[in-house]
Amino acid sequence: MKLDLVHDVQRAYRKLVDSLSRPGIVSDLTEEAGKLETGNGCLPATWIMAEMLLDTEVSFKVFSERETQVTQWFKQMSYAREAEVGEADYIFVLRDAQPDDLLQALQAAKIGDLRDPHFSATLVIETESLYGGTKLRLSGPGIQSFSSAEMLLGGNWMDARAERNAEYPLGLDCILVDASHRLLALPRTTQVQAEEDK
């Protein structure tokens, strides 16, 4: 069955909005991403995010061993333009990126300014799984008390993200996707701590 670029992407968008408004909720994109084949350099869920987010009005940057291949494909698919990490509207950090690439992306991404906080970047981050691995405690708007999450994602990304999001409304929004077509959103307003810190 082929991906419907209207209905499937709209359905996936509603799931993304749900995850953004209720951080900690893991959305299942199997119905949409399951229609895609792997082999284009990124996870099917990332492909859905690219179809949803990229167009002629925005720019993007890819971190991957196959950066050239994926960048070319995104450009052909969406007519979005490639940009340096500090200028990109969307930053895709794929599973095969170098260990320090996520940290570099978080530290260099634009966070907007007080006049235009919406001129900030959104990161789409691939992880092997959104179950198992590091246990996280989430708090902030959209979460009644606290929420829990898990992910297989290494590196000191939480501190870097917290530093960039310290001056609300400036900051970065993060969308995490995994190999099982799941999605977890971490808006800039969400505080993230490793469970052992509590």
Side-chain angles (χ1 to χ4, degrees), residues 88-103:
D89 300 307
Y90 295 97
I91 301 169
F92 294 83
V93 183
L94 306 189
R95 285 186 301 175
D96 64 357
Q98 294 300 309
D100 290 338
D101 283 347
L102 176 56
L103 200 58

Side-chain angles (χ1 to χ4, degrees), residues 1 7 9 32 44 46 51 54 63 71 76 89 103 105 112 116 124 129 145-146 148 163 177 182 192 195-196:
M1 213 172 173
H7 297 100
V9 173
E32 301 81 24
T46 305
E51 289 279 8
L54 299 182
F63 285 92
T71 297
Q76 289 176 344
D89 300 307
L103 200 58
D116 294 299
V124 178
S129 180
S145 173
F146 71 91
S148 296
E163 187 177 322
V177 295
R182 292 180 291 236
V192 181
E195 281 280 6
E196 56 265 29

